[in-house]
C-alpha cells in the first residue's frame, strides 16, 4: 500500500484521493445523463457529507441514473453496486427525483467546505448551480422537511449496506 499524505481540513483528516473524488462528484456535469430531461432547476445529483465519528467522514454521492457511491475521508470507497442491485438504483432514483422539493431550503453556493460537527452537508446539483443545506440529525423532530430529506437518503444508505453485505457473502462463497 502506497503512503498517502494526510491533509487536515476542519477537524477531519482527509487524503488527497478523497478530496479529488469528492471534487469530481460535486462538479459532475448533467450532460452525462443522456435521455433525462434536465432543466436548470432539476436536481440531477446529490452529494452528502456525513460525520460518522470524530475521525470518520463519509460522503454519499447519488445521481439521477441510480448510481450511488460512498467515499471515506481516509481513502477507500464502496462504488459500482448500482450495476448489480436494482433495489439500490430504485432508492437512489427516488431520492434524487424528490430532492428538488428541498431546493427552497438550500442556499446557492460555490464553496464546498466539510462539516466540522454533527450536521450533514447536503449539496444539490443542478444545471443552474449547486445548492447547500444542512441537516442536523439531532433536530429532525422539529423540522419536517429536513426529516423527509434525511429519510430519503437513509433509505439509500440502507440499500448500500444491504448491497455491501451481499457482496461480502458472495466473496466468502467463492
Amino acid at each position: 500500500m502506497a503512503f498517502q499524505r494526510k491533509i487536515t481540513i476542519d477537524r477531519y483528516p482527509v487524503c488527497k484521493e478523497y478530496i479529488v473524488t469528492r471534487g469530481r462528484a460535486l462538479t459532475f456535469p448533467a450532460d452525462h445523463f443522456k435521455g433525462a430531461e434536465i432543466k436548470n432547476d432539476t436536481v440531477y445529483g446529490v452529494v452528502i457529507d456525513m460525520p460518522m465519528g470524530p475521525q470518520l467522514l463519509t460522503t454519499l454521492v447519488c445521481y439521477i441514473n441510480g448510481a450511488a457511491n460512498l467515499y471515506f475521508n481516509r481513502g477507500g470507497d464502496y462504488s459500482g453496486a448500482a450495476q448489480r442491485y436494482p433495489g439500490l438504483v430504485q432508492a437512489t432514483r427516488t431520492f434524487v427525483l424528490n430532492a428538488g422539493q428541498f431546493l427552497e431550503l438550500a442556499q446557492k453556493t460555490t464553496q464546498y467546505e466539510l462539516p466540522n460537527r454533527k450536521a450533514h452537508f447536503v449539496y444539490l446539483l443542478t444545471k443552474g448551480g449547486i445548492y447547500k443545506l444542512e441537516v442536523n440529525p439531532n433536530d429532525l423532530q422539529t423540522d419536517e422537511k429536513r426529516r423527509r430529506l434525511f429519510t430519503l437518503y437513509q433509505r439509500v444508505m440502507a440499500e448500500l449496506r444491504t448491497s455491501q453485505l451481499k457482496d461480502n457473502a458472495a466473496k466468502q462463497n467463492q
Side-chain angles (χ1 to χ4, degrees), residues 30-38:
D31 323 1
H32 282 77
F33 302 108
K34 306 288 185 225
E37 186 178 330
I38 300 175

Side-chain angles (χ1 to χ4, degrees), residues 83-104:
Q83 296 171 7
R84 297 181 299 281
Y85 302 108
L88 174 59
V89 172
Q90 182 179 6
T92 303
R93 291 203 59 197
T94 299
F95 169 47
V96 176
L97 290 171
N98 282 286
Q101 66 185 297
F102 305 103
L103 276 172
E104 67 186 35

Side-chain angles (χ1 to χ4, degrees), residues 5 20 23 46 52 54 101 107 117-118 124 140 151 158 174:
R5 183 172 158 245
V20 169
V46 184
M52 304 295 258
Q101 66 185 297
Q107 302 270 327
R117 54 186 194 283
K118 294 183 185 203
L124 305 171
L140 294 177
T151 300
Q174 288 181 345

Side-chain angles (χ1 to χ4, degrees), residues 32-99:
H32 282 77
F33 302 108
K34 306 288 185 225
E37 186 178 330
I38 300 175
K39 300 176 184 160
N40 273 357
D41 62 347
T42 301
V43 174
Y44 68 86
V46 184
V47 176
I48 306 164
D49 297 321
M50 298 178 285
M52 304 295 258
Q55 296 291 309
L56 180 61
L57 180 64
T58 301
T59 296
L60 170 63
V61 177
C62 300
Y63 294 112
I64 200 165
N65 66 349
N69 301 312
L70 290 172
Y71 302 103
F72 306 99
N73 61 311
R74 293 183 172 251
D77 63 64
Y78 180 67
S79 57
Q83 296 171 7
R84 297 181 299 281
Y85 302 108
L88 174 59
V89 172
Q90 182 179 6
T92 303
R93 291 203 59 197
T94 299
F95 169 47
V96 176
L97 290 171
N98 282 286

Side-chain angles (χ1 to χ4, degrees), residues 65-173:
N65 66 349
N69 301 312
L70 290 172
Y71 302 103
F72 306 99
N73 61 311
R74 293 183 172 251
D77 63 64
Y78 180 67
S79 57
Q83 296 171 7
R84 297 181 299 281
Y85 302 108
L88 174 59
V89 172
Q90 182 179 6
T92 303
R93 291 203 59 197
T94 299
F95 169 47
V96 176
L97 290 171
N98 282 286
Q101 66 185 297
F102 305 103
L103 276 172
E104 67 186 35
L105 302 174
Q107 302 270 327
K108 197 168 190 178
T109 188
T110 57
Q111 296 184 353
Y112 314 109
E113 65 269 0
L114 295 170
N116 59 7
R117 54 186 194 283
K118 294 183 185 203
H120 299 180
F121 286 3
V122 179
Y123 295 96
L124 305 171
L125 312 181
T126 73
K127 280 184 172 181
I130 299 175
Y131 295 79
K132 176 187 172 188
L133 69 115
E134 290 186 30
V135 174
N136 188 333
N138 296 331
D139 296 339
L140 294 177
Q141 295 298 348
T142 59
D143 192 333
E144 169 86 21
K145 285 196 172 195
R146 281 181 171 78
R147 181 172 60 238
R148 284 198 320 253
L149 175 64
F150 181 81
T151 300
L152 284 167
Y153 68 81
Q154 288 303 308
R155 285 187 189 144
V156 175
M157 289 292 287
E159 286 293 332
L160 279 164
R161 182 65 184 139
T162 299
S163 301
Q164 192 176 38
L165 290 171
K166 288 177 182 177
D167 285 348
N168 288 343
K171 284 180 189 175
Q172 289 178 352
N173 290 331

